[in-house]
Amino acid sequence: MTTSAKAYSSASPASKLAPLQIARREPGPTDIELEILFCGVCHSDLHTARGEWPGTNYACVPGHEIVGRVTRVGAKVTKLKVGDIGATGCMVDSCRTCPSCQKGLEQFCLTGATFTYNSPDKHLGGHTFGGYSSGIVVDEAFTLRVPEGMDLAATAPLLCAGITTYSPLRHWKVGPGQKVGIVGLGGLGHMGVKLARAFGAHVVLFTTSPSKVADGLRLGAHEVVVSTDAAAMAKHASSLDFILDCVSAKHDLNAYLSLLRVDGTLCLVGVPEQPLAVHAFSVIMPRRNFSGSCIGGIAETQEMLEFCAKHGIVSDIELIPIQQINEAWDRMIKQDVRYRFVIDMASLKQT
Ligand code: NAP
Ligand code: ZN
Ligand code: ZN
């Protein structure tokens, strides 16, 4: 049994997003059905739908920063009840038994997590459809509670941009006394700035966009460096403890590795289409670490939401109707996002 939902999808790498009717499963005993209120627009949506990464299945319905109202729950559900606000992020399931899942690292499930879109759909066959849609059905184990009082539209981006920056900052124990670099002021980067500041670090933002300098400071950076200014970059040589690289396109990693002190770490969360070259000298001298991180587990995502609620942190957003999604994607490519588009899903009723 299925129900029908309205969605926006891409039919091929070159096509624009357009309306499509999709099927959602009837809620099972542990499922929660959400009427989607808001969905953030992540650069991963664009990489996937435009076939910039391998393995996109079409029709592709992106969206994994989902906040919604509970409309139905299965008989065994205890986490949320009808009428509550719930959320779901980048994953809707995993095996739940492998060593990664047992450690709360469902994103690294050894049999492969079920991602919110473009993963095999265990229930209906085919592949999963994301949050650019009117509703979604998710097992309660992969839904999140939204703390009371949060601005729901501005909370949606926390489900990916928030957790993707929170998790590595926590893992590498970023805090007081450390000098931390955030590279790229987009959706992820602006959350990285806010969170690194909240964790007590000295925050240096690196941007290619001189027009974002004032915003970088307003969002919490102590210093902003325009990365095309070689002299400004050189002032930070061998001085940073940790760098979170949130850039979506090809760029020179060596320029950032050279800013790390002995044993410092550069963690990549951005996923450019092309491979990035690392010169051996960038890491051997002086013993630097080059790493990466992928979203965060479900328990850590809930922890991040509570942290953000406590510290008054949400995303800076531009709310758009879904009919403007293609223009929003074009602006995202031009680095013109301030600092996350969020789709007001009520607009889907007009299609
Ligand atoms: P976004 O909002 O488009 O921000 C990307 C930022 O990168 C831009 O605002 C820009 O910042 C910088 N940038 C873009 N093109 C550049 C270029 N050619 N050279 C140098 N800098 C450039 O994207 P996002 O949603 O934050 O996502 C960022 C990346 O993270 C994407 O690749 C996305 O797929 C990936 N991602 C990874 C994970 C994970 O789990 N690891 C999760 C979510 C997203 P400035 O204008 O400040 O330079
Ligand atoms: Zn994302
Ligand atoms: Zn697993």
Side-chain angles (χ1 to χ4, degrees):
M1 281 258 292
T2 59
T3 53
S4 181
K6 284 186 171 187
Y8 258 56
S9 82
S10 282
S12 75
S15 46
K16 287 194 181 297
L17 289 154
L20 179 76
Q21 210 67 29
I22 58 166
R24 296 294 193 191
R25 68 179 184 267
E26 283 290 310
T30 59
D31 282 339
I32 292 177
E33 181 187 67
L34 293 176
E35 175 199 358
I36 300 176
L37 301 175
F38 300 106
C39 184
V41 177
C42 178
H43 208 115
S44 303
D45 301 349
L46 188 157
H47 287 306
T48 305
R50 295 198 174 168
E52 294 177 3
W53 297 338
T56 304
N57 298 293
Y58 295 94
C60 174
V61 177
H64 57 204
E65 295 183 334
I66 299 167
V67 170
R69 183 173 292 110
V70 178
T71 43
R72 287 191 286 172
V73 295
K76 293 189 180 155
V77 168
T78 56
K79 194 183 261 181
L80 293 168
K81 58 182 192 318
V82 172
D84 284 350
I85 297 297
T88 193
C90 304
M91 295 180 282
V92 290
D93 212 346
S94 71
C95 85
R96 309 184 201 191
T97 55
C98 76
S100 292
C101 286
Q102 284 182 349
K103 279 188 220 141
L105 297 170
E106 296 90 352
Q107 72 274 35
F108 306 133
C109 175
L110 298 183
T111 62
T114 305
F115 291 99
T116 305
Y117 56 83
N118 201 40
S119 271
D121 186 326
K122 289 180 193 169
H123 299 269
L124 298 181
H127 56 274
T128 52
F129 294 130
Y132 293 11
S133 61
S134 53
I136 192 166
V137 178
V138 185
D139 191 289
E140 69 169 331
F142 284 77
T143 55
L144 289 308
R145 286 181 298 269
V146 176
E148 288 280 310
M150 291 185 87
D151 176 326
L152 299 184
T155 295
L158 302 183
L159 277 303
C160 175
I163 184 62
T164 301
T165 48
Y166 181 93
S167 183
L169 292 171
R170 276 290 191 235
H171 180 76
W172 275 278
K173 301 186 170 52
V174 160
Q178 290 183 357
K179 186 172 162 188
V180 170
I182 305 290
V183 187
L185 196 64
L188 265 57
H190 94 291
M191 290 313 305
V193 167
K194 289 185 185 209
L195 290 167
R197 177 72 186 240
F199 293 161
H202 180 88
V203 182
V204 186
L205 168 69
F206 296 91
T207 178
T208 60
S209 307
S211 63
K212 294 181 184 173
V213 170
D215 278 347
L217 295 168
R218 176 181 60 80
L219 292 164
H222 296 92
E223 300 176 63
V224 181
V225 176
V226 177
S227 51
T228 46
D229 179 344
M233 289 288 279
K235 279 190 196 147
H236 293 276
S238 301
S239 70
L240 286 141
D241 296 278
F242 183 77
I243 296 176
L244 192 63
D245 184 328
C246 306
V247 176
S248 54
K250 196 167 184 187
H251 60 292
D252 180 16
L253 282 180
N254 302 289
Y256 294 101
L257 285 164
S258 71
L259 304 185
L260 292 171
R261 62 159 174 75
V262 179
D263 288 334
T265 295
L266 185 147
C267 174
L268 207 55
V269 284
V271 190
E273 186 177 354
Q274 298 114 330
L276 302 173
V278 173
H279 199 290
F281 279 117
S282 298
V283 283
I284 67 163
M285 280 287 281
R287 198 172 63 190
R288 295 171 172 131
N289 302 295
F290 176 41
S291 190
S293 185
C294 182
I295 49 173
I298 297 297
E300 193 177 37
T301 304
Q302 189 66 56
E303 175 191 305
M304 175 274 309
L305 287 170
E306 312 290 342
F307 179 90
C308 287
K310 191 170 160 203
H311 293 265
I313 294 174
V314 284
S315 185
D316 281 33
I317 66 160
E318 186 173 334
L319 196 63
I320 56 162
I322 194 142
Q323 292 79 4
Q324 282 174 21
I325 187 65
N326 291 299
E327 291 81 1
W329 278 18
D330 289 344
R331 279 182 55 195
M332 188 152 65
I333 300 238
K334 291 183 197 140
Q335 304 176 214
D336 179 22
V337 182
R338 297 212 172 19
Y339 281 90
R340 195 60 140 185
F341 290 112
V342 172
I343 307 164
D344 181 352
M345 218 43 85
S347 60
L348 199 50
K349 294 186 181 126
Q350 273 117 54
T351 53

